[in-house]
Structure formats: C-alpha cells, structure tokens
Amino acid sequence: MSTEPVNEKLIAVQVNGESQEAVVESRRLLVHFIRDDCLLTGTHVGCDTGNCGACTVLVDGKAVKSCMMLAIQAEGTAIETVESLGGSDGELEALQQAFSDKHALQCGYCTPGMLMSAKHLLERNPNPTEAEVRKAIQGNICRCTGYVNIVDAILEAAEGSGS
Amino acid sequence: MSTTATEKVTLERGRYQGESVPRKEDRRLLEGQGSFVDDIRRHAMGYVHFVRSPYAHASILSIDVGPALELEGVFGTLTGGEVAIATDPFFQIASPPGAHVKDYALAVGKVRYAGEPVVAVVAATRELARDAADVVEVDYEPLPVLVDARAARNDDAPVLHDDAGGNLSWEGVYEWGDLDQAFAEADRVVKIDELHFDRFNSTPLECDGALVEYDRGTEQWTIHSNNQFPGFAAIMMGPAMRVGLDRLRFVSQDIGGGFGNKITSHPQLVALCLLARKLKRPVQWTEWRTDFHQSMSHGNERWFHDVEVAVKADGTLLGFRCKALDDAGAFLRYEPLGGVIWAQVTPGLYRWQHVKVEFTQVMTNKAPVSPNRGYSRMQHLWLTERIIDIVASQLELDPVEIRKLNYIKTDEMPYTTPNGCVYDSGDYGRCLDIALELVGADTVDARRRDAEARGKLLGLGIGSTLDSGTNNFAQSRFINPELQFSGNNEVATVKLDIFGEVVVTLGTTPQGQGHETTAAQVVADTIGCTHEMVTVRAGHDSYWNSHAGFSGTYASQFAVTGLSAVKGAADQLADQMRRLAAVVLGTTPDGIVLAGGMATRADNPDAALPFMALGAIINANNAGLPPETEDITLNARYVYRPPFDVPDIEKKYGNLTLTYSTQIHACVVEIDRETGEVEIVDYAAVDDCGTRIHPQIVEGQVHGATAHAIGAALWETFHYDDDGQLLTANFYDYHVPHALDMPPIKTGSIESPSPFTPLGTKGMGEGGGGGIHCVCSAIQDALAGAGGAVVTDSHNPAERVWKMLQDPEASRAVVHVAST
C-alpha cells in the first residue's frame, strides 16, 4: 500500500437519480461538490460548524449535513437534494405546498435543509407529534420564523398524507 | 401551535389587500431555485478570502504577501497600503470628534478589533484562497486593549483612533420639558445606578457576500451582493472610490435574512471593487460564519447610569433623566446614528412629559456595531420597561395597572411626544388586555403555587414596545448639523405591456418580507385585475431606474414607503388606462371601469377592452392616436416621499418617523431554583401595525422578532474576554434558538390604521424587542418571592439568574427610593 497522501479522487455518486462522476479534491466538502460541481445551488451553507442544517441532504435515505461530510466519503451513495422534491407534474409536493400554505418560509435560506429534514422524518414517522417534529428539525436553524409555522406545516403535511 | 386572536377590520380594502394570498416568492425558494449571492458564478472568477487580525488592538509592522503569491492558482492580493492610495477614507456621519475617524476597506497601519480584515487574497478556488491567506505574513505589535466602554474615557485608556483624540465618537444632551418641575412635583424619586443592554445581533443564516465585475470599457462595476441598503452603500462607496454613483450598479435577488445586519458591508464591497479592477477578473466573496460573528454588525451595547425617575404616589410617571453610554465598537460604520434613533420612541408608550438623556458614544476594541432589528429603539424601550417594573416593585404597584395608568390613550392620538414625535394611532391598553388574556394572566396566582410545589419560581412579565418606521433622515442632523439629509423616499414602476403583462419593479431589497406578493395585491386592487396577473420582478437592480437615495429594505418601512410608491405608480397607470380606453370606446375617463382585467364603459358592458388591447395599442399599434394621448405610456414611475419637515435641530424637536406600530408581549416563566434555568411556559405577542395588507406575513414577522428577542434575553451574546477575543464566534458558542428552545407563541392583533399613510399601513417587522423586555420582567416577577433581585441586564442566562437567586442583595443595592 502506498502511504502517499491522495489529494484528489474520482468519485461516482447518484444525485437526484442522475449519475455524477467527478475528480474532487480529497478535502472538498460534500456541500461544495453539490453546489460547485453538480451546480445544484438549492443546498445552502449557513455556518462553518455543522450547527445550522441549511446544507441538509439525504444520503442513502438518511438526513446528513453535507458540510460535515467529505465528497469522497459519498462515493457510491445516492444523494437527494431539495431539487429532487416536487411532483412529476411539475407541481409542488405536499410538504412543499404545506410550507407555502402555512407561511413556513420567509427568506427561504434555511428552507431546503428544513424540507429535507422534514422529508426524512415523515418517511420514518408518517404521524409525528409536535414534539417529534421539533426534535427532527432541532438541527436546522431558522432565523426568520421562530419555527412556529414550520412545525405547523410539517404536521399538516403529515395529516395530508392520509397515513 | 400558534393561537391567533384578531379583532375588527377597520378599513375597506380592495379584494386582495387584507387577504393572505399565496406568496409569489415561495415556489422558487421551495424548489431550490432561489438566487442567493453565493449562487452567482462568472467565468474565470476568483475567490476572495480575507486575512484577519488575531489581535484586538495592534500596530501592523509589516505585511508580506509573497508566500501567498507564489502558490499556483493565486491571482493576487490587496493590502491596506494599496487601499489607502486607491481610496479616500469613508465619509463619517459624526461631527467631531467621531468625524476624524479614518476608516478604510482594509486595516491601515493598525488593527482595532480581532477579526478585522487586513489583507484580501484571491485564488482559483475557495479552498486555495483560504490556504493562501494562511501563508500571508503579518507582523503585529500588540497594544493595550479596551473592552469595557465604561473605561473608554479614563486617562489611562488605550486610544483606538489617535486622529479622534480619544475614544469619544459623539455626545449630546437631549432635554425636553422641565425636569426640575417634574422632580419637585414627585412624591417619590426612584434611582437606578446602572443598567446594561447586552451585545448581540440577529445573525442571518446567510452571511454577507458579493460577486463584483468590472467593465474596463465603461469603467463601471456591477456589484451582485446581499447588501440590504444599496442607497447607503453607494453614498459610502462612491466618494471613497472617487467615482460617481452611476459607476456602481447594485444587483440582488434573494437575500437570506438581513435584519439590519447587511447594511454596512461597504468596506468589503470596496475591497472587492478594487480587486476586480486590479486583477481584471470577476471576484467572489462569501463570508464565513466565524468572520460574520467577529466583524459584522453587532447590535449596540448600551449602559444606562444614574437613572432617576420622578413618580407620584399613585404611580403617575412625571419624568426621568439618565446618562446613556453606547459602545460602538471599533469603527463608526452607521454610527453614531444610534445616538439619535432611540429618540423616535423617547417616552416609550407612556405620558412622561419631562425627559433628559445625556448620550455618550465611545469606541472600543470590539466589532463595529451597525443596525440590528429594533435598532437603538430596542435599547431605549428596554430602559423604559425596566423603569416601569422597577418603579412598580419599589412602590408596590401592580405592573399592569401602572402601565395602564401611564399609557398614552387612544383618544389622545395623534399624540405629540415631549420631543415632537407624533404617534399616529394605537390602543395600547386593549393590546395589553389581549396579551394578558392569551397567557392566562388571571390564573397566574394558582400556577405560581403549583410551580412552587415543583421547586420552581413562576413569574409574569410584560413588554410594551413601539416599532417606529419610515425614518425622517433629518434626525441625522441632531448628530451632525452639517449633514444634508432629510425626509425619505422609495420608488416603484408599474407598466402594462404588449400582451397585457402587468410588470412591477421595486427599489427595495427584500430579505423574506414578501414584497413581491404584497406589491401585487396593491396593484391588482388598483388597476382591476387578479394578483396572479401581476408580475413583480424579483430583486433589486439599480439599472432599472427604480431606486432613490433611500432605497432599500430596512427600518420597518416597506408597508409605508414601498407600498405607497407601488400605489402611486398603479394609480398613475390606472389613470392612463382609463384615458386610453375612453378614447377608444368613445367616452370620458370617468366613464371607464377597470375590473377583471378589462376596461369597460360603465354605461355599456359590451363596450370593453381587455388590458392586452390597451397594452398593444400604446406599445405596438399607435398610429393615428389623437394628440391628447401623447403623454400616455402605460409605464408609470412613482416616487413616494413621506410628508416630513426638518425638525428643530437645536432643540432636537420634531417628528422623526411617520408611523408607530404597537407590540405588547406577555409571558409566563418558570425558574429552576437549583440551576437558575429559565423556561418560558406561556407566551403571547399582540401586534398593531395599522391596516394589514397580508396578515400571514405580518404574523410571520411577529414570530421572527419574538424569537430574536427571546434568544437575546436568554442565550445569545457576543461575549469578549479581557484581551478582546470574541468567545462566541460561531453557532456552537453563540446559541440561537432551535426548534426545541422556542415556546409555543400565541399571537393577537388589532388594526389601528395610520391616518398619515396612503393605505393606512404602518411599518413593522423589527418589533421593539418586546421579548427581551417581557422575559426580563417575568424573571424579576418570579424572583420577587426569592429575595427580590432586580433584573439589571438585558441578557439573563442561567448562571446570571442563579447568581441573583444566591445574592439578591447585590442587584437590589443599585436601586434607591427617596420620598420628596
């Protein structure tokens, strides 16, 4: 085995159902790979420390803060970003629609991460309590809404799913 | 879950105004298709990283950028030395001595706060720019550090700006009424030795950033940024860069929160402009979170000393006097305007007739302060609310009754305050009643007993605030009589195009306030179509000619300045549409009804033109039109100018803002006797911002302002150690409320339309820090049964509350009552 450090690496991932291959610097964060290499700028950066959750995506179905993962660690995974949301008819999906109906977004900067955390919750737990919703988005900071309408929207989306 | 209590709709509106229609902004933001500043890219652009000072105060002995330039992929650097040659210092708002402060885009000669930008490095990737910044060598000679504003004017205090001859930036005395008379009439004088309003800010989730391009042919810069007050940035940058304002094109679309914190990014924008010209390539900068915390727009920290309150035995408040000491940090980027902005709400909500404030602002080795949601009024309103609760506790009066006794009454409005501000409308007592009802104030005694049984102390608190909006910029002359600012303005355009498109542009730079939506509501009601038919261009571009000197989104004013401009332009367009339809349909303009996207003869519904026809006639089929139509363009531009006079500068007397929204917050807290931990168990915010165009957006602003205030009251602080190092420079250490931290918030509202604005609206959104005041109030109430500590700080984390429980005498010792 060579002990030479590897400065870059070819990775292959599925992003929103499409195959992406790129040579990335070993130190490149997954969020920068998504934003700068895949040109999917819906995923945002709000802090340097993994606190804010604006960069939340799903990696193999699990909610991950993409600033806390190296791009090369995503090799072989399937990634879903906010751009994957939405019905095939071009309409907003229920969760997005609930966010709009309940005014759960103002500036919209935290919204993509918030949606992905909520999606992850509802996939695991289609009928969450308010406390469970708050816990699920505890890692996502919103500075505009005080979370009131976000919690309402996620609960409404859960109710609307009929499960 | 929120609970909403809403009373009476007081004004007839159109079909859409007053309805919470779906927001136009939402779709793109929900699909990840917003356009924020870091999303913008240009071919061959370079990434900028700033080398920042590790010291709070130090001389710069030498800078060597050589090691950075040797790295492959580094495009270039910029130092303070270059900046000092290429630009002049930024214009200072202050009169002397603050006027003598020299402030540049990068540190020149010395650094004055930890995190101050010293060198800018540009490279092919953001990672490389950061690496290169690390190898820039700067030699510093550390200097003594000034952290505590109270020591700033001591003889042995380190001096930040030798040019200013000391650390004073501005001082002035505000005095209205007759203080001697007030104190002679008083039955009691309550004295408070010292109060402290803490340093924090709203920390928008998106940090600052910009992409700047320089066109060498036209010598013009295009500045894609998230600056929220381009009008202000332009007048700071143009003279410093020695260019006219038309050379600076400001563009923004979606902005990830602002809260005032994105007003003063002009130093960084100048550095980027110089780099784009020097390196002949677009340059891009996105601020890191730690950089934001260390260097950008802290809220004004303020001390109040020697507060004396003249009170009658029944609790009637006659007047107060105090010394206010404001800590501006290291530079005056928007300051010392904080030294006057508070005066918009001089008596708070109360009938005080005699007020004296000796205001002093000093500079310290901390990040520069700049506007932050509730800017400067919040600090002063916290003082007035602390006074009320401290007076109430000392005189054993009911905090509710003393407020109601002294509130300005509805039938006194419009009410002229002792300093000449005109409170336009409101019903403070009614708002308080609703808030108390929402938190179940009538059951507090029983809940207090229940809490005690669980080892908890329970308290009820109130925060009564005003959100003054639509500045009269003439108030800046109280600070510096030489300034040539007054009034205010905002711009909108509305046009009807060939295929019937109704297109609106705004001069504002929204950060989530839903301007596209509310503007469309106003236009739809004015010209007679659906709000869906109205397109409001997203974002701001100064090339659209839809901006004025004060354009931007700040200081609680869009519902007045922005929507009045929209209304004015839509009225003009409607008038032109009627005149054109009258010519075509053979009647008079008064005989045309605009409704349902049609211009129809009132006396003959069959004689009608769709908007598309009107647009096509003027824009593409205009031969043979009669001469009386020659001024019809169906493209209207309107500048709204609020009705202001220049105040009496000498007496500091006059109306400083056009509207005064009301917020009454109430909460119930429980304090753990063992730990001092404060839990908010009930919370209500009642808001009155006049006529509401979109109630859901208004309520959203109330929620957000409440969260900021609760965060500031309990968790958020920019805490410096004695060396001037910020100990809360990221979201680990600077704890903003997360979802589990926030209590349920109940909201209520009434509408007291402003008599002074075209739509009856008032500016809102900042709130007045009601959450800070009512949490402080509730903590003091809870502690009444455990030693009676007095809350003297705006920020009360568990350890401070624990100390108050252990040693209540310490805080009580700052309060004295004298009978006269």
Side-chain angles (χ1 to χ4, degrees):
Chain A
M1 287 281 287
S2 165
T3 55
E4 283 295 301
V6 178
N7 290 328
E8 55 184 35
K9 191 178 174 197
L10 176 70
I11 63 168
V13 293
Q14 290 273 324
V15 182
N16 299 336
E18 290 184 16
S19 298
Q20 298 273 0
E21 279 195 356
V23 175
V24 295
E25 271 195 278
S26 305
R27 62 175 174 174
R28 196 161 187 75
L29 299 175
L30 178 58
V31 66
H32 289 141
F33 170 75
I34 291 168
R35 288 180 53 79
D36 297 343
D37 295 333
C38 302
L39 301 182
L40 294 168
T41 54
T43 303
H44 295 150
V45 178
C47 71
D48 324 335
T49 49
N51 292 83
C52 84
C55 63
T56 305
V57 299
L58 301 187
V59 178
D60 287 339
K62 286 187 180 165
V64 167
K65 290 178 177 177
S66 60
C67 75
M68 291 284 104
M69 186 170 174
L70 296 170
I72 57 173
Q73 293 175 294
E75 160 71 18
T77 64
I79 294 168
E80 294 164 74
T81 71
V82 65
E83 287 90 347
S84 70
L85 301 181
S88 55
D89 53 0
E91 293 300 305
L92 298 178
E93 67 179 56
L95 180 63
Q96 294 166 303
Q97 189 62 49
F99 266 59
S100 182
D101 293 345
K102 292 288 184 183
H103 188 36
L105 65 157
Q106 291 180 28
C107 79
Y109 199 75
C110 77
T111 308
M114 204 62 87
L115 287 168
M116 299 315 284
S117 286
K119 179 182 169 77
H120 185 222
L121 167 72
L122 296 179
E123 283 175 356
R124 287 174 296 140
N125 179 358
N127 290 298
T129 63
E130 179 181 339
E132 288 169 337
V133 169
R134 284 185 181 268
K135 192 172 179 199
I137 59 168
Q138 171 73 353
N140 294 79
I141 293 173
C142 170
R143 291 300 273 159
C144 295
T145 67
Y147 308 99
V148 182
N149 293 344
I150 293 174
V151 173
D152 280 358
I154 296 170
L155 287 170
E156 177 171 279
E159 281 173 22
S161 69
S163 49
Chain B
M1 300 284 273
S2 67
T3 310
T4 302
T6 300
E7 291 196 338
K8 67 182 179 186
V9 173
T10 47
L11 199 71
E12 280 299 313
R13 286 167 280 219
R15 180 175 166 197
Y16 296 108
Q17 291 169 78
E19 293 296 317
S20 295
V21 302
R23 287 205 326 165
K24 287 181 176 289
E25 295 85 349
D26 284 357
R27 171 176 280 271
R28 68 174 183 269
L29 298 173
L30 286 162
E31 292 180 333
Q33 301 301 323
S35 181
F36 294 89
V37 66
D38 189 69
D39 302 340
I40 302 165
R41 292 175 172 74
R42 290 293 181 271
H43 177 67
M45 72 183 191
Y47 292 87
V48 176
H49 194 85
F50 288 102
V51 178
R52 291 170 186 271
S53 170
Y55 294 106
H57 200 190
S59 296
I60 299 171
L61 301 180
S62 66
I63 296 175
D64 183 4
V65 296
L69 292 171
E70 285 169 15
L71 296 177
E72 189 180 340
V74 171
F75 299 140
T77 60
L78 185 74
T79 64
E82 293 173 83
V83 169
I85 293 168
T87 68
D88 292 321
F90 290 115
F91 159 74
Q92 289 295 316
I93 292 167
S95 51
H100 300 308
V101 167
K102 288 192 174 59
D103 184 15
Y104 289 97
L106 294 172
V108 175
K110 69 182 220 173
V111 291
R112 295 176 176 87
Y113 64 96
E116 182 175 354
V118 176
V119 177
V121 179
V122 187
T125 69
R126 60 181 97 224
E127 291 90 349
L128 181 58
R130 211 175 190 191
D131 287 350
D134 270 351
V135 299
V136 169
E137 290 176 7
V138 184
D139 277 341
Y140 297 96
E141 181 179 305
L143 297 167
V145 173
L146 174 65
V147 174
D148 189 334
R150 293 170 297 180
R153 300 184 75 185
N154 293 350
D155 290 342
D156 60 350
V159 172
L160 275 77
H161 298 274
D162 290 334
D163 294 319
N167 295 317
L168 178 70
S169 65
W170 183 80
E171 63 184 341
V173 177
Y174 294 82
E175 184 169 359
W176 305 283
D178 184 339
L179 273 297
D180 291 339
Q181 181 197 327
F183 282 90
E185 280 180 20
D187 298 320
R188 300 273 193 286
V189 175
V190 177
K191 297 183 180 179
I192 310 162
D193 297 339
E194 181 177 273
L195 296 167
H196 175 241
F197 191 93
D198 198 42
R199 178 179 273 249
F200 69 96
N201 80 3
S202 295
T203 56
L205 199 53
E206 179 202 44
C207 293
D208 295 87
L211 182 139
V212 176
E213 303 170 271
Y214 181 66
D215 185 314
R216 298 171 66 200
T218 61
E219 300 181 334
Q220 290 178 315
W221 285 271
T222 299
I223 302 158
H224 302 266
S225 80
N226 52 17
N227 184 288
Q228 68 180 96
F229 193 173
F232 179 78
I235 60 173
M236 283 290 157
M237 294 170 64
M241 293 165 63
R242 303 165 191 151
V243 300
L245 299 194
D246 196 49
R247 299 261 301 276
L248 303 171
R249 177 188 182 187
F250 284 87
V251 185
S252 60
Q253 187 178 308
D254 299 305
I255 297 179
F259 316 117
N261 299 163
K262 287 174 177 163
I263 290 177
T264 53
S265 56
H266 54 271
Q268 286 82 354
L269 297 181
V270 166
L272 299 180
C273 286
L274 298 180
L275 283 164
R277 182 172 63 186
K278 176 183 176 180
L279 302 180
K280 303 184 177 67
R281 67 170 73 231
V283 295
Q284 194 276 351
W285 167 64
T286 298
E287 186 175 46
W288 293 73
R289 172 56 56 187
T290 299
D291 297 343
F292 173 90
H293 281 227
Q294 284 191 324
S295 65
M296 198 58 88
S297 299
H298 288 192
N300 294 54
E301 182 180 1
R302 195 169 296 169
W303 300 86
F304 299 98
H305 291 122
D306 304 329
V307 182
E308 295 185 317
V309 192
V311 199
K312 301 291 280 183
D314 69 352
T316 300
L317 300 163
L318 301 174
F320 73 88
R321 57 189 169 210
C322 74
K323 299 185 178 81
L325 174 65
D326 204 53
D327 181 347
F331 288 98
L332 309 174
R333 298 268 157 87
Y334 200 80
E335 297 305 315
L337 287 177
V340 61
I341 299 285
W342 65 270
Q344 296 167 6
V345 292
T346 293
L349 289 73
Y350 305 100
R351 270 205 227 86
W352 271 310
Q353 294 302 311
H354 313 283
V355 178
K356 180 179 181 182
V357 177
E358 295 172 66
F359 198 100
T360 302
Q361 188 185 64
V362 296
M363 297 171 281
T364 59
N365 291 118
K366 295 188 275 191
V369 305
S370 294
N372 183 60
R373 195 174 206 166
Y375 177 44
S376 194
R377 295 97 88 208
M378 171 171 60
Q379 287 80 345
H380 182 73
L381 291 164
W382 179 77
L383 168 69
T384 64
E385 289 300 280
R386 278 290 74 220
I387 286 176
I388 299 296
D389 280 319
I390 291 172
V391 167
S393 70
Q394 297 298 318
L395 273 55
E396 298 185 345
L397 298 168
D398 183 281
V400 172
E401 294 310 316
I402 192 174
R403 284 182 168 83
K404 287 194 170 176
L405 176 68
N406 290 285
Y407 276 162
I408 295 157
K409 304 291 185 290
T410 303
D411 59 13
E412 296 173 301
M413 307 231 186
Y415 175 88
T416 302
T417 67
N419 63 319
C421 289
V422 184
Y423 290 179
D424 45 349
S425 60
D427 188 343
Y428 308 154
R430 182 72 197 116
C431 289
L432 177 56
D433 284 338
I434 298 171
L436 291 172
E437 194 181 323
L438 287 170
V439 297
D442 56 342
T443 63
V444 157
D445 287 339
R447 288 152 78 188
R448 213 187 291 271
R449 289 191 294 275
D450 171 67
E452 276 168 18
R454 291 182 282 111
K456 301 280 179 82
L457 297 163
L458 184 139
L460 169 70
I462 299 163
S464 312
T465 63
L466 296 173
D467 190 349
S468 48
T470 304
N471 282 336
N472 177 357
F473 277 89
Q475 65 199 277
S476 61
R477 297 189 200 177
F478 293 178
I479 296 291
N480 181 354
E482 303 297 317
L483 293 177
Q484 299 298 311
F485 298 122
S486 69
N488 199 327
N489 53 15
E490 191 49 277
V491 187
T493 71
V494 185
K495 70 174 178 177
L496 180 60
D497 222 326
I498 295 179
F499 297 119
E501 304 95 327
V502 180
V503 181
V504 181
T505 67
L506 304 173
T508 58
T509 50
Q511 313 114 36
Q513 297 91 339
H515 291 185
E516 294 164 45
T517 305
T518 49
Q521 291 173 273
V522 171
V523 171
D525 284 342
T526 305
I527 70 170
C529 64
T530 65
H531 68 98
E532 289 99 338
M533 284 176 66
V534 180
T535 298
V536 183
R537 283 200 190 141
H540 174 97
D541 188 332
S542 53
Y543 263 29
W544 290 340
N545 200 26
S546 58
H547 69 291
F550 297 116
S551 279
T553 298
Y554 57 93
S556 293
Q557 63 174 24
F558 177 74
V560 176
T561 56
L563 290 183
S564 298
V566 167
K567 175 66 175 160
D571 280 338
Q572 286 183 357
L573 177 64
D575 180 61
Q576 291 188 5
M577 290 163 68
R578 281 193 203 93
R579 287 170 53 210
L580 179 63
V583 168
V584 177
L585 298 175
T587 183
T588 61
D590 290 346
I592 296 292
V593 174
L594 300 176
M598 305 284 285
T600 307
R601 269 184 72 145
D603 58 359
N604 179 8
D606 292 335
L609 290 168
F611 285 4
M612 178 174 168
L614 296 175
I617 289 168
I618 283 297
N619 286 295
N621 190 12
N622 51 38
L625 283 176
E628 64 265 28
T629 62
E630 70 182 9
D631 65 327
I632 295 178
T633 61
L634 299 186
N635 191 345
R637 177 179 189 267
Y638 187 83
V639 180
Y640 172 71
R641 210 157 55 199
F644 281 128
D645 293 319
V646 175
D648 182 326
I649 305 302
E650 201 162 309
K651 294 178 180 165
K652 299 187 173 70
Y653 185 94
N655 195 17
L656 306 184
T657 58
L658 192 65
T659 64
Y660 299 81
S661 294
T662 312
Q663 308 78 40
I664 309 286
H665 290 214
C667 72
V668 178
V669 303
E670 286 186 4
I671 296 173
D672 188 312
R673 275 176 175 270
E674 296 292 317
T675 64
E677 200 75 43
V678 177
E679 184 186 1
I680 299 168
V681 295
D682 227 329
Y683 198 102
V686 180
D687 197 84
D688 178 2
C689 61
T691 305
R692 292 173 302 169
I693 303 299
H694 194 294
Q696 198 181 38
I697 288 176
V698 167
E699 190 191 29
Q701 292 292 318
V702 172
H703 288 155
T706 300
H708 283 185
I710 290 174
L714 296 175
W715 307 298
E716 298 180 37
T717 178
F718 284 132
H719 186 63
Y720 283 87
D721 69 10
D722 292 343
D723 296 326
Q725 295 296 330
L726 180 63
L727 301 182
T728 52
N730 57 48
F731 278 144
Y732 273 115
D733 300 316
Y734 187 95
H735 183 81
V736 301
H738 291 233
L740 285 171
D741 298 318
M742 282 298 293
I745 299 171
K746 299 165 182 168
T747 57
S749 59
I750 64 171
E751 295 191 359
S752 305
S754 174
F756 302 148
T757 64
L759 298 166
T761 51
K762 300 186 185 193
M764 64 84 57
E766 291 186 84
I772 305 177
H773 320 320
C774 80
V775 170
C776 288
S777 173
I779 291 172
Q780 184 168 300
D781 185 49
L783 296 177
V790 177
V791 172
T792 60
D793 202 295
S794 65
H795 180 62
N796 292 282
E799 59 268 27
R800 182 164 286 145
V801 176
W802 185 83
K803 279 181 190 159
M804 287 192 279
L805 277 163
Q806 302 307 307
D807 184 10
E809 292 298 328
S811 62
R812 279 166 48 191
V814 306
V815 180
H816 321 276
V817 183
S819 297
T820 58

PDB file of all heavy atoms in Angstrom, chain B residues 154-166:
ATOM      1  N   ASN B 154     -11.288  57.008  30.496  1.00  0.00           N
ATOM      2  CA  ASN B 154     -10.294  57.139  31.562  1.00  0.00           C
ATOM      3  C   ASN B 154      -8.992  57.669  30.981  1.00  0.00           C
ATOM      4  O   ASN B 154      -8.670  57.425  29.809  1.00  0.00           O
ATOM      5  CB  ASN B 154     -10.037  55.777  32.232  1.00  0.00           C
ATOM      6  CG  ASN B 154     -11.253  55.288  33.003  1.00  0.00           C
ATOM      7  OD1 ASN B 154     -12.219  56.036  33.201  1.00  0.00           O
ATOM      8  ND2 ASN B 154     -11.209  54.031  33.422  1.00  0.00           N
ATOM      9  N   ASP B 155      -8.231  58.346  31.815  1.00  0.00           N
ATOM     10  CA  ASP B 155      -6.965  58.931  31.344  1.00  0.00           C
ATOM     11  C   ASP B 155      -6.007  57.866  30.814  1.00  0.00           C
ATOM     12  O   ASP B 155      -5.244  58.112  29.889  1.00  0.00           O
ATOM     13  CB  ASP B 155      -6.284  59.698  32.493  1.00  0.00           C
ATOM     14  CG  ASP B 155      -7.058  60.966  32.822  1.00  0.00           C
ATOM     15  OD1 ASP B 155      -7.865  61.395  31.971  1.00  0.00           O
ATOM     16  OD2 ASP B 155      -6.854  61.506  33.920  1.00  0.00           O
ATOM     17  N   ASP B 156      -6.069  56.674  31.438  1.00  0.00           N
ATOM     18  CA  ASP B 156      -5.117  55.632  31.022  1.00  0.00           C
ATOM     19  C   ASP B 156      -5.710  54.669  29.994  1.00  0.00           C
ATOM     20  O   ASP B 156      -5.138  53.627  29.718  1.00  0.00           O
ATOM     21  CB  ASP B 156      -4.649  54.848  32.254  1.00  0.00           C
ATOM     22  CG  ASP B 156      -5.812  54.172  32.983  1.00  0.00           C
ATOM     23  OD1 ASP B 156      -6.982  54.483  32.638  1.00  0.00           O
ATOM     24  OD2 ASP B 156      -5.552  53.350  33.870  1.00  0.00           O
ATOM     25  N   ALA B 157      -6.865  55.012  29.431  1.00  0.00           N
ATOM     26  CA  ALA B 157      -7.488  54.097  28.458  1.00  0.00           C
ATOM     27  C   ALA B 157      -6.694  54.088  27.154  1.00  0.00           C
ATOM     28  O   ALA B 157      -6.247  55.144  26.684  1.00  0.00           O
ATOM     29  CB  ALA B 157      -8.923  54.545  28.177  1.00  0.00           C
ATOM     30  N   PRO B 158      -6.514  52.904  26.585  1.00  0.00           N
ATOM     31  CA  PRO B 158      -5.897  52.866  25.247  1.00  0.00           C
ATOM     32  C   PRO B 158      -6.778  53.645  24.269  1.00  0.00           C
ATOM     33  O   PRO B 158      -8.004  53.605  24.381  1.00  0.00           O
ATOM     34  CB  PRO B 158      -5.906  51.374  24.893  1.00  0.00           C
ATOM     35  CG  PRO B 158      -6.233  50.643  26.150  1.00  0.00           C
ATOM     36  CD  PRO B 158      -6.941  51.581  27.051  1.00  0.00           C
ATOM     37  N   VAL B 159      -6.161  54.349  23.350  1.00  0.00           N
ATOM     38  CA  VAL B 159      -6.928  55.138  22.376  1.00  0.00           C
ATOM     39  C   VAL B 159      -6.923  54.411  21.035  1.00  0.00           C
ATOM     40  O   VAL B 159      -5.862  54.071  20.513  1.00  0.00           O
ATOM     41  CB  VAL B 159      -6.348  56.552  22.227  1.00  0.00           C
ATOM     42  CG1 VAL B 159      -7.023  57.292  21.083  1.00  0.00           C
ATOM     43  CG2 VAL B 159      -6.501  57.318  23.543  1.00  0.00           C
ATOM     44  N   LEU B 160      -8.118  54.167  20.481  1.00  0.00           N
ATOM     45  CA  LEU B 160      -8.207  53.434  19.213  1.00  0.00           C
ATOM     46  C   LEU B 160      -7.802  54.309  18.036  1.00  0.00           C
ATOM     47  O   LEU B 160      -7.031  53.901  17.181  1.00  0.00           O
ATOM     48  CB  LEU B 160      -9.641  52.921  18.987  1.00  0.00           C
ATOM     49  CG  LEU B 160      -9.998  51.591  19.629  1.00  0.00           C
ATOM     50  CD1 LEU B 160     -10.243  51.761  21.121  1.00  0.00           C
ATOM     51  CD2 LEU B 160     -11.214  50.974  18.962  1.00  0.00           C
ATOM     52  N   HIS B 161      -8.359  55.494  17.988  1.00  0.00           N
ATOM     53  CA  HIS B 161      -8.154  56.376  16.834  1.00  0.00           C
ATOM     54  C   HIS B 161      -7.476  57.651  17.307  1.00  0.00           C
ATOM     55  O   HIS B 161      -8.118  58.552  17.848  1.00  0.00           O
ATOM     56  CB  HIS B 161      -9.494  56.715  16.176  1.00  0.00           C
ATOM     57  CG  HIS B 161     -10.234  55.532  15.637  1.00  0.00           C
ATOM     58  ND1 HIS B 161     -10.000  55.022  14.374  1.00  0.00           N
ATOM     59  CD2 HIS B 161     -11.183  54.738  16.195  1.00  0.00           C
ATOM     60  CE1 HIS B 161     -10.794  53.972  14.170  1.00  0.00           C
ATOM     61  NE2 HIS B 161     -11.521  53.772  15.267  1.00  0.00           N
ATOM     62  N   ASP B 162      -6.168  57.730  17.100  1.00  0.00           N
ATOM     63  CA  ASP B 162      -5.448  58.927  17.531  1.00  0.00           C
ATOM     64  C   ASP B 162      -6.006  60.173  16.854  1.00  0.00           C
ATOM     65  O   ASP B 162      -6.026  61.253  17.439  1.00  0.00           O
ATOM     66  CB  ASP B 162      -3.954  58.775  17.209  1.00  0.00           C
ATOM     67  CG  ASP B 162      -3.299  57.724  18.103  1.00  0.00           C
ATOM     68  OD1 ASP B 162      -3.805  57.506  19.225  1.00  0.00           O
ATOM     69  OD2 ASP B 162      -2.303  57.124  17.668  1.00  0.00           O
ATOM     70  N   ASP B 163      -6.474  60.007  15.604  1.00  0.00           N
ATOM     71  CA  ASP B 163      -6.994  61.174  14.871  1.00  0.00           C
ATOM     72  C   ASP B 163      -8.191  61.790  15.584  1.00  0.00           C
ATOM     73  O   ASP B 163      -8.468  62.973  15.435  1.00  0.00           O
ATOM     74  CB  ASP B 163      -7.415  60.762  13.453  1.00  0.00           C
ATOM     75  CG  ASP B 163      -6.232  60.339  12.617  1.00  0.00           C
ATOM     76  OD1 ASP B 163      -5.179  61.000  12.705  1.00  0.00           O
ATOM     77  OD2 ASP B 163      -6.360  59.341  11.882  1.00  0.00           O
ATOM     78  N   ALA B 164      -8.936  60.965  16.341  1.00  0.00           N
ATOM     79  CA  ALA B 164     -10.115  61.468  17.040  1.00  0.00           C
ATOM     80  C   ALA B 164      -9.764  62.003  18.417  1.00  0.00           C
ATOM     81  O   ALA B 164     -10.639  62.520  19.119  1.00  0.00           O
ATOM     82  CB  ALA B 164     -11.177  60.369  17.160  1.00  0.00           C
ATOM     83  N   GLY B 165      -8.501  61.869  18.794  1.00  0.00           N
ATOM     84  CA  GLY B 165      -8.047  62.453  20.046  1.00  0.00           C
ATOM     85  C   GLY B 165      -8.568  61.758  21.294  1.00  0.00           C
ATOM     86  O   GLY B 165      -8.509  62.326  22.385  1.00  0.00           O
ATOM     87  N   GLY B 166      -9.096  60.563  21.165  1.00  0.00           N
ATOM     88  CA  GLY B 166      -9.674  59.839  22.306  1.00  0.00           C
ATOM     89  C   GLY B 166     -10.695  58.855  21.796  1.00  0.00           C
ATOM     90  O   GLY B 166     -10.808  58.648  20.587  1.00  0.00           O
TER      91      GLY B 166
END
